[in-house]
Protein backbone atom coordinates (compact mmCIF):
# COMPACT_ATOMS: atom_id res chain seq x y z
CA UNK A 1 0.00 0.00 0.00
CA UNK A 2 2.89 2.36 0.71
CA UNK A 3 4.28 1.81 -2.78
CA UNK A 4 0.97 2.76 -4.37
CA UNK A 5 0.74 5.91 -2.24
CA UNK A 6 4.24 6.97 -3.16
CA UNK A 7 3.47 6.53 -6.85
CA UNK A 8 0.41 8.76 -6.86
CA UNK A 9 0.65 11.21 -4.00
CA UNK A 10 1.99 14.73 -4.49
CA UNK A 11 2.40 14.63 -8.28
CA UNK A 12 4.50 17.33 -9.93
CA UNK A 13 2.39 20.18 -11.25
CA UNK A 14 2.76 21.65 -14.70
CA UNK A 15 0.87 24.28 -16.65
CA UNK A 16 1.05 24.73 -20.40
CA UNK A 17 2.80 27.80 -21.80
CA UNK A 18 -0.20 28.33 -24.06
CA UNK A 19 -2.45 28.74 -21.01
CA UNK A 20 -0.24 31.45 -19.51
CA UNK A 21 0.11 33.22 -22.85
CA UNK A 22 -3.65 33.26 -23.42
CA UNK A 23 -4.14 34.87 -20.02
CA UNK A 24 -1.41 37.43 -20.73
CA UNK A 25 -2.91 38.30 -24.13
CA UNK A 26 -6.31 38.72 -22.49
CA UNK A 27 -4.78 40.98 -19.83
CA UNK A 28 -2.97 43.09 -22.43
CA UNK A 29 -6.13 43.50 -24.51
CA UNK A 30 -8.15 44.45 -21.43
CA UNK A 31 -5.56 46.99 -20.38
CA UNK A 32 -5.54 48.64 -23.81
CA UNK A 33 -9.34 48.80 -23.85
CA UNK A 34 -9.39 50.36 -20.35
CA UNK A 35 -6.79 52.96 -21.32
CA UNK A 36 -8.73 53.85 -24.49
CA UNK A 37 -12.06 54.16 -22.66
CA UNK A 38 -10.61 56.34 -19.87
CA UNK A 39 -8.63 58.55 -22.26
CA UNK A 40 -11.09 58.86 -25.16
CA UNK A 41 -14.47 57.97 -23.73
CA UNK A 42 -14.24 59.66 -20.33
CA UNK A 43 -11.69 62.24 -21.52
CA UNK A 44 -9.56 61.92 -18.39
CA UNK A 45 -5.92 62.91 -18.41
CA UNK A 46 -4.14 59.57 -18.60
CA UNK A 47 -0.35 59.19 -19.08
CA UNK A 48 -0.91 57.20 -22.25
CA UNK A 49 2.74 56.83 -23.34
CA UNK A 50 4.12 55.01 -20.27
CA UNK A 51 0.97 52.87 -20.01
CA UNK A 52 1.17 51.84 -23.67
CA UNK A 53 4.89 51.10 -23.27
CA UNK A 54 4.12 48.68 -20.43
CA UNK A 55 1.37 46.97 -22.44
CA UNK A 56 3.65 46.82 -25.51
CA UNK A 57 6.40 45.21 -23.43
CA UNK A 58 3.90 42.57 -22.29
CA UNK A 59 2.82 41.93 -25.90
CA UNK A 60 6.42 41.68 -27.16
CA UNK A 61 7.26 39.22 -24.41
CA UNK A 62 4.27 37.11 -25.42
CA UNK A 63 5.37 37.12 -29.05
CA UNK A 64 8.94 36.21 -28.13
CA UNK A 65 7.77 33.28 -26.00
CA UNK A 66 5.44 32.02 -28.77
CA UNK A 67 8.24 32.16 -31.34
CA UNK A 68 11.00 30.71 -29.17
CA UNK A 69 9.05 27.89 -27.53
CA UNK A 70 6.31 25.44 -28.35
CA UNK A 71 3.16 26.87 -26.75
CA UNK A 72 1.91 23.33 -26.03
CA UNK A 73 4.88 22.47 -23.83
CA UNK A 74 4.33 22.28 -20.08
CA UNK A 75 6.30 24.73 -17.98
CA UNK A 76 8.23 23.89 -14.89
CA UNK A 77 6.46 25.46 -11.87
CA UNK A 78 9.26 27.98 -11.35
CA UNK A 79 8.98 29.30 -14.94
CA UNK A 80 5.20 29.54 -14.72
CA UNK A 81 5.55 31.43 -11.44
CA UNK A 82 8.05 33.80 -13.07
CA UNK A 83 5.56 34.69 -15.83
CA UNK A 84 2.83 35.29 -13.25
CA UNK A 85 5.26 37.48 -11.28
CA UNK A 86 5.86 39.55 -14.42
CA UNK A 87 2.08 39.99 -14.67
CA UNK A 88 2.00 41.35 -11.12
CA UNK A 89 4.87 43.78 -11.77
CA UNK A 90 3.29 44.98 -15.04
CA UNK A 91 -0.01 45.59 -13.26
CA UNK A 92 1.84 47.43 -10.51
CA UNK A 93 3.48 49.66 -13.14
CA UNK A 94 0.15 50.49 -14.78
CA UNK A 95 -1.44 51.26 -11.42
CA UNK A 96 1.49 53.54 -10.51
CA UNK A 97 0.65 55.80 -13.46
CA UNK A 98 -3.12 55.62 -12.87
CA UNK A 99 -3.77 56.37 -9.21
CA UNK A 100 -2.33 53.42 -7.26
CA UNK A 101 -4.81 51.87 -4.82
CA UNK A 102 -7.36 54.52 -5.73
CA UNK A 103 -7.75 52.76 -9.07
CA UNK A 104 -10.60 50.20 -8.85
CA UNK A 105 -8.54 47.79 -11.00
CA UNK A 106 -6.08 47.38 -8.12
CA UNK A 107 -8.00 44.24 -7.11
CA UNK A 108 -6.59 42.53 -10.21
CA UNK A 109 -3.54 41.75 -8.07
CA UNK A 110 -5.63 38.79 -6.96
CA UNK A 111 -5.76 37.15 -10.43
CA UNK A 112 -2.15 35.87 -10.81
CA UNK A 113 -2.07 34.62 -7.21
CA UNK A 114 -5.39 32.82 -7.67
CA UNK A 115 -4.11 31.15 -10.85
CA UNK A 116 -0.98 30.06 -9.00
CA UNK A 117 -3.06 28.60 -6.17
CA UNK A 118 -4.82 26.26 -8.59
CA UNK A 119 -1.81 24.97 -10.56
CA UNK A 120 1.44 25.66 -8.69
CA UNK A 121 2.98 24.41 -5.42
CA UNK A 122 2.07 26.30 -2.29
CA UNK A 123 5.56 27.75 -1.78
CA UNK A 124 5.40 29.52 -5.14
CA UNK A 125 1.87 30.71 -4.46
CA UNK A 126 3.02 32.21 -1.16
CA UNK A 127 5.92 33.95 -2.94
CA UNK A 128 3.58 35.43 -5.56
CA UNK A 129 1.17 36.52 -2.82
CA UNK A 130 3.98 38.30 -0.99
CA UNK A 131 5.03 40.02 -4.24
CA UNK A 132 1.46 41.20 -4.87
CA UNK A 133 1.15 42.53 -1.30
CA UNK A 134 4.53 44.28 -1.63
CA UNK A 135 3.42 45.98 -4.86
CA UNK A 136 0.11 47.02 -3.29
CA UNK A 137 1.95 48.37 -0.24
CA UNK A 138 4.35 50.38 -2.43
CA UNK A 139 1.43 51.83 -4.40
CA UNK A 140 -0.13 53.02 -1.15
CA UNK A 141 2.73 55.51 -0.80
CA UNK A 142 4.02 56.03 -4.34
CA UNK A 143 1.72 56.68 -7.30
CA UNK A 144 0.59 59.38 -9.68
CA UNK A 145 -2.84 60.96 -9.21
CA UNK A 146 -5.92 59.06 -10.30
CA UNK A 147 -7.10 60.25 -13.74
CA UNK A 148 -10.10 62.46 -13.02
CA UNK A 149 -11.75 65.75 -13.83
CA UNK A 150 -9.09 68.44 -13.34
CA UNK A 151 -11.65 71.02 -12.18
CA UNK A 152 -13.02 68.68 -9.50
CA UNK A 153 -10.23 66.28 -8.43
CA UNK A 154 -11.14 63.19 -6.45
CA UNK A 155 -9.46 63.01 -3.04
CA UNK A 156 -9.98 59.79 -1.07
CA UNK A 157 -9.32 59.77 2.67
CA UNK A 158 -6.30 57.76 3.87
CA UNK A 159 -8.49 55.50 6.00
CA UNK A 160 -10.33 54.41 2.85
CA UNK A 161 -7.03 53.60 1.11
CA UNK A 162 -5.97 51.58 4.16
CA UNK A 163 -9.23 49.65 3.83
CA UNK A 164 -8.53 49.01 0.14
CA UNK A 165 -5.03 47.78 0.94
CA UNK A 166 -6.34 45.53 3.70
CA UNK A 167 -9.12 44.16 1.49
CA UNK A 168 -6.56 43.29 -1.22
CA UNK A 169 -4.42 41.54 1.37
CA UNK A 170 -7.34 39.54 2.75
CA UNK A 171 -8.69 38.71 -0.71
CA UNK A 172 -5.30 37.36 -1.80
CA UNK A 173 -4.91 35.28 1.36
CA UNK A 174 -8.42 33.90 1.82
CA UNK A 175 -9.37 33.35 -1.82
CA UNK A 176 -6.02 31.77 -2.72
CA UNK A 177 -6.15 29.49 0.29
CA UNK A 178 -9.67 28.38 -0.60
CA UNK A 179 -8.75 27.78 -4.26
CA UNK A 180 -5.63 25.84 -3.26
CA UNK A 181 -7.57 23.65 -0.82
CA UNK A 182 -10.32 22.83 -3.30
CA UNK A 183 -7.83 22.09 -6.08
CA UNK A 184 -5.67 19.97 -3.79
CA UNK A 185 -8.62 17.88 -2.64
CA UNK A 186 -9.70 17.33 -6.25
CA UNK A 187 -6.16 16.35 -7.20
CA UNK A 188 -5.86 13.94 -4.28
CA UNK A 189 -9.19 12.36 -5.16
CA UNK A 190 -8.12 11.92 -8.78
CA UNK A 191 -4.78 10.40 -7.75
CA UNK A 192 -6.43 8.08 -5.24
CA UNK A 193 -8.93 6.87 -7.83
CA UNK A 194 -6.04 6.20 -10.21
CA UNK A 195 -4.32 4.20 -7.47
CA UNK A 196 -7.57 2.31 -6.89
CA UNK A 197 -7.75 1.36 -10.55
CA UNK A 198 -4.12 0.20 -10.45
CA UNK A 199 -4.70 -1.99 -7.40
CA UNK A 200 -7.86 -3.50 -8.85
CA UNK A 201 -6.08 -4.17 -12.16
CA UNK A 202 -3.27 -5.96 -10.35
CA UNK A 203 -5.71 -8.07 -8.38
CA UNK A 204 -7.66 -8.94 -11.52
CA UNK A 205 -4.46 -9.95 -13.30
CA UNK A 206 -3.66 -12.35 -10.48
CA UNK A 207 -7.15 -13.83 -10.72
CA UNK A 208 -6.90 -14.16 -14.49
CA UNK A 209 -3.78 -16.32 -14.13
CA UNK A 210 -6.13 -19.10 -13.07
CA UNK A 211 -7.93 -18.93 -16.42
CA UNK A 212 -4.63 -18.76 -18.31
CA UNK A 213 -3.47 -21.91 -16.53
CA UNK A 214 -6.67 -23.70 -17.58
CA UNK A 215 -6.18 -22.61 -21.20
CA UNK A 216 -2.55 -23.77 -21.14
CA UNK A 217 -3.55 -27.13 -19.69
CA UNK A 218 -6.17 -27.59 -22.40
CA UNK A 219 -3.89 -26.60 -25.29
CA UNK A 220 -0.87 -28.64 -24.13
CA UNK A 221 -2.86 -31.77 -23.34
CA UNK A 222 -3.14 -32.97 -26.95
CA UNK A 223 0.55 -32.74 -27.98
CA UNK A 224 1.68 -34.34 -24.72
CA UNK A 225 -0.74 -37.23 -25.28
CA UNK A 226 0.72 -37.70 -28.76
CA UNK A 227 4.28 -37.70 -27.41
CA UNK A 228 3.29 -40.23 -24.75
CA UNK A 229 1.65 -42.64 -27.23
CA UNK A 230 4.44 -42.49 -29.83
CA UNK A 231 7.16 -42.98 -27.24
CA UNK A 232 5.31 -45.98 -25.82
CA UNK A 233 4.93 -47.60 -29.25
CA UNK A 234 8.56 -46.96 -30.15
CA UNK A 235 9.66 -48.42 -26.83
CA UNK A 236 7.97 -51.72 -27.80
CA UNK A 237 9.67 -51.97 -31.20
CA UNK A 238 13.20 -50.80 -30.34
CA UNK A 239 15.61 -53.60 -29.24
CA UNK A 240 18.60 -51.43 -28.33
CA UNK A 241 18.55 -51.17 -24.50
CA UNK A 242 20.08 -47.67 -24.48
CA UNK A 243 17.52 -46.24 -26.91
CA UNK A 244 14.71 -48.09 -25.13
CA UNK A 245 15.81 -46.52 -21.83
CA UNK A 246 15.72 -43.04 -23.35
CA UNK A 247 12.26 -43.64 -24.80
CA UNK A 248 11.05 -44.85 -21.41
CA UNK A 249 12.33 -41.63 -19.83
CA UNK A 250 10.52 -39.55 -22.49
CA UNK A 251 7.30 -41.48 -21.88
CA UNK A 252 7.53 -41.06 -18.08
CA UNK A 253 8.25 -37.32 -18.29
CA UNK A 254 5.38 -36.83 -20.75
CA UNK A 255 3.08 -38.65 -18.35
CA UNK A 256 4.31 -36.46 -15.50
CA UNK A 257 3.51 -33.34 -17.52
CA UNK A 258 0.03 -34.72 -18.26
CA UNK A 259 -0.57 -35.30 -14.53
CA UNK A 260 0.51 -31.76 -13.65
CA UNK A 261 -1.71 -30.22 -16.32
CA UNK A 262 -4.59 -32.40 -15.18
CA UNK A 263 -4.30 -30.98 -11.65
CA UNK A 264 -4.17 -27.42 -12.99
CA UNK A 265 -7.22 -28.05 -15.14
CA UNK A 266 -9.13 -29.44 -12.17
CA UNK A 267 -8.33 -26.37 -10.04
CA UNK A 268 -9.21 -23.95 -12.84
CA UNK A 269 -12.29 -25.58 -14.31
CA UNK A 270 -15.64 -23.81 -14.14
CA UNK A 271 -17.40 -24.51 -10.89
CA UNK A 272 -14.16 -25.45 -9.10
CA UNK A 273 -13.61 -24.34 -5.48
CA UNK A 274 -11.49 -21.37 -6.54
CA UNK A 275 -14.10 -19.99 -8.96
CA UNK A 276 -16.74 -19.53 -6.29
CA UNK A 277 -16.37 -19.35 -2.54
CA UNK A 278 -18.63 -19.40 0.48
CA UNK A 279 -18.70 -16.40 2.77
CA UNK A 280 -16.77 -18.32 5.44
CA UNK A 281 -14.07 -19.21 2.89
CA UNK A 282 -13.83 -15.60 1.76
CA UNK A 283 -13.36 -14.40 5.33
CA UNK A 284 -10.76 -17.06 6.10
CA UNK A 285 -8.77 -16.19 2.97
CA UNK A 286 -8.81 -12.50 3.92
CA UNK A 287 -7.84 -13.27 7.54
CA UNK A 288 -5.07 -15.83 6.84
CA UNK A 289 -2.25 -13.38 5.89
CA UNK A 290 -2.70 -11.46 9.18
CA UNK A 291 -2.60 -14.28 11.73
CA UNK A 292 1.16 -14.14 12.37
CA UNK A 293 1.48 -10.65 13.79
CA UNK A 294 0.86 -11.42 17.46
CA UNK A 295 -2.81 -10.38 17.35
CA UNK A 296 -5.58 -12.85 18.17
CA UNK A 297 -8.12 -12.83 15.33
CA UNK A 298 -11.49 -14.31 16.28
CA UNK A 299 -13.90 -15.24 13.49
CA UNK A 300 -17.56 -15.84 14.33
CA UNK A 301 -20.27 -16.84 11.86
CA UNK A 302 -23.85 -16.54 13.06
CA UNK A 303 -26.03 -19.58 12.41
CA UNK A 304 -28.83 -18.65 10.02
CA UNK A 305 -31.89 -20.43 8.70
CA UNK A 306 -30.91 -19.73 5.09
CA UNK A 307 -28.02 -21.34 3.28
CA UNK A 308 -24.57 -19.75 3.46
CA UNK A 309 -23.98 -17.16 0.72
CA UNK A 310 -21.76 -18.17 -2.19
CA UNK A 311 -20.11 -15.61 -4.44
CA UNK A 312 -17.71 -15.62 -7.35
CA UNK A 313 -14.10 -15.07 -6.40
CA UNK A 314 -13.89 -11.28 -6.46
CA UNK A 315 -10.49 -9.57 -6.09
CA UNK A 316 -12.18 -6.28 -5.15
CA UNK A 317 -13.93 -7.88 -2.13
CA UNK A 318 -10.83 -9.83 -1.09
CA UNK A 319 -8.63 -6.74 -1.28
CA UNK A 320 -11.16 -4.48 0.45
CA UNK A 321 -11.87 -6.82 3.37
CA UNK A 322 -8.17 -7.70 3.63
CA UNK A 323 -7.12 -4.05 3.85
CA UNK A 324 -9.66 -3.30 6.57
CA UNK A 325 -8.40 -6.35 8.49
CA UNK A 326 -4.83 -5.15 8.04
CA UNK A 327 -5.67 -1.79 9.62
CA UNK A 328 -7.53 -3.52 12.47
CA UNK A 329 -4.51 -5.73 13.20
CA UNK A 330 -2.24 -2.71 12.91
CA UNK A 331 -4.06 -0.69 15.58
CA UNK A 332 -5.30 -3.53 17.83
CA UNK A 333 -3.69 -4.16 21.22
CA UNK A 334 -4.53 -7.85 21.54
CA UNK A 335 -7.67 -8.90 19.66
CA UNK A 336 -9.48 -8.40 16.37
CA UNK A 337 -12.99 -9.79 15.93
CA UNK A 338 -14.57 -10.66 12.60
CA UNK A 339 -18.30 -11.32 12.90
CA UNK A 340 -20.52 -12.29 9.98
CA UNK A 341 -24.22 -13.05 9.61
CA UNK A 342 -26.71 -13.27 6.78
CA UNK A 343 -30.36 -13.76 5.95
CA UNK A 344 -32.37 -13.92 2.75
CA UNK A 345 -31.85 -10.20 1.98
CA UNK A 346 -28.62 -9.05 3.63
CA UNK A 347 -25.02 -10.10 4.23
CA UNK A 348 -22.97 -8.33 6.86
CA UNK A 349 -19.33 -8.48 7.97
CA UNK A 350 -18.22 -6.52 11.04
CA UNK A 351 -14.52 -6.05 11.81
CA UNK A 352 -13.67 -4.63 15.25
CA UNK A 353 -10.51 -4.25 17.29
CA UNK A 354 -9.52 -3.32 20.86
CA UNK A 355 -7.21 -0.49 19.81
CA UNK A 356 -7.53 3.24 20.52
CA UNK A 357 -10.39 3.65 18.06
CA UNK A 358 -10.91 6.41 15.53
CA UNK A 359 -10.36 9.96 16.70
CA UNK A 360 -13.57 12.04 16.75
CA UNK A 361 -12.15 14.59 14.30
CA UNK A 362 -11.38 11.79 11.82
CA UNK A 363 -14.53 9.73 12.25
CA UNK A 364 -16.60 11.73 9.75
CA UNK A 365 -13.71 12.00 7.29
CA UNK A 366 -12.56 8.39 7.40
CA UNK A 367 -12.15 6.95 3.93
CA UNK A 368 -10.95 10.18 2.34
CA UNK A 369 -7.71 9.81 0.35
CA UNK A 370 -4.44 10.54 2.16
CA UNK A 371 -6.13 11.08 5.51
CA UNK A 372 -3.86 9.74 8.27
CA UNK A 373 -3.20 10.01 11.96
CA UNK A 374 0.40 9.15 12.80
CA UNK A 375 1.05 6.92 15.75
CA UNK A 376 3.59 7.33 18.49
CA UNK A 377 7.23 6.46 17.98
CA UNK A 378 6.96 3.36 20.18
CA UNK A 379 4.19 1.96 17.94
CA UNK A 380 5.52 3.11 14.58
CA UNK A 381 7.91 0.21 14.23
CA UNK A 382 5.06 -2.28 13.95
CA UNK A 383 2.74 -0.06 11.94
CA UNK A 384 2.06 -1.34 8.45
CA UNK A 385 -0.34 1.36 7.24
CA UNK A 386 -2.59 4.25 8.18
CA UNK A 387 -6.17 5.31 7.69
CA UNK A 388 -5.46 7.01 4.38
CA UNK A 389 -5.13 5.85 0.81
CA UNK A 390 -5.45 2.17 1.78
CA UNK A 391 -8.83 2.65 3.44
CA UNK A 392 -9.99 4.88 0.59
CA UNK A 393 -9.13 2.18 -1.95
CA UNK A 394 -10.72 -0.55 0.19
CA UNK A 395 -13.91 1.45 0.63
CA UNK A 396 -14.09 2.35 -3.07
CA UNK A 397 -13.60 -1.26 -4.18
CA UNK A 398 -16.18 -2.59 -1.72
CA UNK A 399 -18.75 0.02 -2.68
CA UNK A 400 -18.29 -0.92 -6.33
CA UNK A 401 -19.44 -4.44 -5.41
CA UNK A 402 -22.62 -3.02 -3.87
CA UNK A 403 -21.46 -2.85 -0.25
CA UNK A 404 -22.16 -0.07 2.21
CA UNK A 405 -19.15 0.60 4.46
CA UNK A 406 -19.47 2.51 7.75
CA UNK A 407 -16.92 3.35 10.47
CA UNK A 408 -17.75 3.77 14.16
CA UNK A 409 -16.20 3.30 17.58
CA UNK A 410 -17.21 0.82 20.26
CA UNK A 411 -19.51 2.34 22.86
CA UNK A 412 -17.95 3.40 26.17
CA UNK A 413 -16.44 1.84 28.29
CA UNK A 414 -15.13 -0.40 25.49
CA UNK A 415 -12.62 1.04 23.07
CA UNK A 416 -11.66 0.26 19.51
CA UNK A 417 -12.82 0.82 15.95
CA UNK A 418 -15.72 -0.97 14.27
CA UNK A 419 -16.07 -1.32 10.48
CA UNK A 420 -19.39 -2.58 9.16
CA UNK A 421 -19.68 -3.93 5.60
CA UNK A 422 -23.20 -4.70 4.38
CA UNK A 423 -24.24 -6.12 1.00
CA UNK A 424 -27.66 -6.82 -0.45
CA UNK A 425 -27.53 -10.60 -0.78
CA UNK A 426 -28.70 -10.52 -4.37
CA UNK A 427 -25.84 -8.17 -5.34
CA UNK A 428 -23.28 -10.26 -3.43
CA UNK A 429 -24.28 -13.50 -5.15
CA UNK A 430 -25.16 -12.28 -8.63
CA UNK A 431 -21.65 -12.86 -10.00
CA UNK A 432 -21.63 -16.41 -8.65
CA UNK A 433 -25.01 -17.15 -10.23
CA UNK A 434 -23.70 -15.89 -13.56
CA UNK A 435 -20.79 -18.37 -13.46
CA UNK A 436 -22.95 -21.44 -12.84
CA UNK A 437 -23.33 -23.64 -15.94
CA UNK A 438 -26.84 -23.70 -17.26
CA UNK A 439 -28.51 -27.14 -17.37
CA UNK A 440 -28.51 -28.80 -20.73
CA UNK A 441 -31.76 -29.31 -22.50
CA UNK A 442 -33.33 -32.66 -21.95
CA UNK A 443 -31.38 -33.43 -18.79
Amino acid sequence: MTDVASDFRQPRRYVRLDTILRLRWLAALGQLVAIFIVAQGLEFDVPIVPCVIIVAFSALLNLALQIAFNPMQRLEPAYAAALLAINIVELGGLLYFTGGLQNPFSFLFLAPVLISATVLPIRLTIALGCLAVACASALFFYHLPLPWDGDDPLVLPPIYLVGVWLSILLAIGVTSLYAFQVTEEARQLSDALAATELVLTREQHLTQLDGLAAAAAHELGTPLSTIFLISRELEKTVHDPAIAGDLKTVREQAQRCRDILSKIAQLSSSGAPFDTMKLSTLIEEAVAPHRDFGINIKVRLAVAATREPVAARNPAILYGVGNILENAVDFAHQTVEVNAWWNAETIEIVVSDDGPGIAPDMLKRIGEPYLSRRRGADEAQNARGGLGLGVFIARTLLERTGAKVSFTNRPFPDHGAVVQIVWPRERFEEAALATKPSPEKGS
Side-chain angles (χ1 to χ4, degrees):
M1 195 66 266
T2 303
D3 293 339
V4 175
S6 63
D7 290 342
F8 288 91
R9 194 175 183 183
Q10 300 295 341
R12 298 191 68 184
R13 303 169 188 171
Y14 297 94
V15 60
R16 288 191 307 177
L17 175 61
D18 181 65
T19 302
I20 299 293
L21 290 179
R22 286 175 182 271
L23 294 173
R24 287 179 53 81
W25 280 120
L26 182 62
L29 179 62
Q31 291 160 0
L32 282 177
V33 171
I35 293 171
F36 176 79
I37 291 176
V38 172
Q40 300 299 322
L42 301 179
E43 297 183 352
F44 288 160
D45 186 15
V46 181
I48 296 178
V49 174
C51 291
V52 171
I53 289 176
I54 293 175
V55 176
F57 169 79
S58 177
L60 289 174
L61 179 60
N62 289 352
L63 286 174
L65 290 173
Q66 282 187 323
I67 295 172
F69 302 98
N70 180 6
M72 293 298 106
Q73 77 177 46
R74 295 190 177 274
L75 296 174
E76 291 284 343
Y79 297 138
L83 289 178
L84 293 175
I86 293 175
N87 286 359
I88 294 175
V89 174
E90 290 171 349
L91 177 61
L94 289 172
L95 291 175
Y96 170 78
F97 291 105
T98 56
L101 297 187
Q102 300 178 40
N103 192 319
F105 291 102
S106 60
F107 280 93
L108 290 177
F109 277 126
L110 175 62
V113 185
L114 188 59
I115 294 171
S116 175
T118 60
V119 296
L120 298 182
I122 189 171
R123 67 181 187 280
L124 296 177
T125 301
I126 293 175
L128 290 174
C130 292
L131 175 62
V133 171
C135 289
S137 301
L139 290 172
F140 181 85
F141 299 101
Y142 307 103
H143 59 83
L144 297 182
L146 177 71
W148 204 257
D149 185 0
D151 297 332
D152 186 17
L154 178 66
V155 180
L156 298 175
I159 189 64
Y160 176 81
L161 296 180
V162 171
V164 171
W165 176 85
L166 186 60
S167 63
I168 293 174
L169 176 63
L170 292 177
I172 290 175
V174 175
T175 309
S176 300
L177 179 61
Y178 176 78
F180 177 83
Q181 185 66 26
V182 171
T183 306
E184 185 68 13
E185 289 180 359
R187 184 182 295 111
Q188 287 182 350
L189 182 61
S190 176
D191 295 340
L193 287 173
T196 303
E197 295 292 344
L198 176 61
V199 170
L200 183 56
T201 300
R202 289 174 177 173
E203 294 293 319
Q204 288 174 337
H205 284 171
L206 292 176
T207 302
Q208 289 169 356
L209 289 177
D210 187 51
L212 293 175
H218 177 74
E219 295 296 330
L220 294 175
T222 300
L224 282 173
S225 297
T226 303
I227 294 172
F228 175 81
L229 292 174
I230 293 177
S231 61
R232 186 177 62 180
E233 294 302 320
L234 288 174
E235 186 180 354
K236 294 178 181 179
T237 58
V238 172
H239 302 290
D240 188 337
I243 297 178
D246 291 339
L247 290 173
K248 180 180 179 182
T249 301
V250 171
R251 176 175 56 81
E252 291 175 348
Q253 294 302 314
Q255 181 61 42
R256 182 181 177 188
C257 290
R258 292 176 64 192
D259 293 340
I260 294 173
L261 292 177
S262 177
K263 292 179 181 179
I264 294 176
Q266 289 175 3
L267 291 177
S268 304
S269 61
S270 179
F274 292 110
D275 280 343
T276 59
M277 54 193 345
K278 294 182 178 180
L279 180 63
S280 56
T281 306
L282 183 152
I283 293 174
E284 184 57 37
E285 183 167 338
V287 168
H290 309 293
R291 289 195 180 277
D292 298 327
F293 292 96
I295 299 297
N296 182 25
I297 302 179
K298 299 179 180 179
V299 179
R300 298 188 179 93
L301 301 177
V303 179
T306 58
R307 63 174 179 82
E308 184 175 354
V310 177
R313 183 182 181 83
N314 191 321
I317 295 178
L318 288 171
Y319 184 91
V321 176
N323 186 274
I324 289 173
L325 276 166
E326 179 181 355
N327 279 285
V329 171
D330 183 21
F331 288 95
H333 294 314
Q334 294 179 336
T335 306
V336 171
E337 295 182 2
V338 182
N339 298 309
W341 68 272
W342 62 87
N343 56 28
E345 291 81 25
T346 305
I347 298 170
E348 180 176 331
I349 298 176
V350 178
V351 180
S352 58
D353 61 72
D354 60 350
I358 304 172
D361 61 318
M362 296 177 62
L363 195 56
K364 293 183 178 180
R365 301 175 55 204
I366 195 72
E368 293 182 8
Y370 306 118
L371 175 67
S372 63
R373 171 64 62 90
R374 296 192 179 276
R375 310 176 67 182
D378 56 336
E379 301 177 25
Q381 294 180 351
N382 296 325
R384 301 191 311 284
L387 299 178
L389 183 57
V391 173
F392 172 83
I393 291 177
R395 184 173 190 170
T396 302
L397 293 179
L398 289 171
E399 288 178 347
R400 285 186 176 185
T401 66
K404 180 180 180 182
V405 184
S406 58
F407 300 84
T408 57
N409 285 322
R410 286 181 169 178
F412 185 82
D414 295 331
H415 54 85
V418 179
V419 183
Q420 184 183 42
I421 311 169
V422 181
W423 287 272
R425 180 161 181 155
E426 180 181 0
R427 182 72 180 274
F428 184 82
E429 292 186 322
E430 65 182 5
L433 294 174
T435 61
K436 289 184 178 180
S438 57
E440 297 183 2
K441 295 180 179 180
S443 58

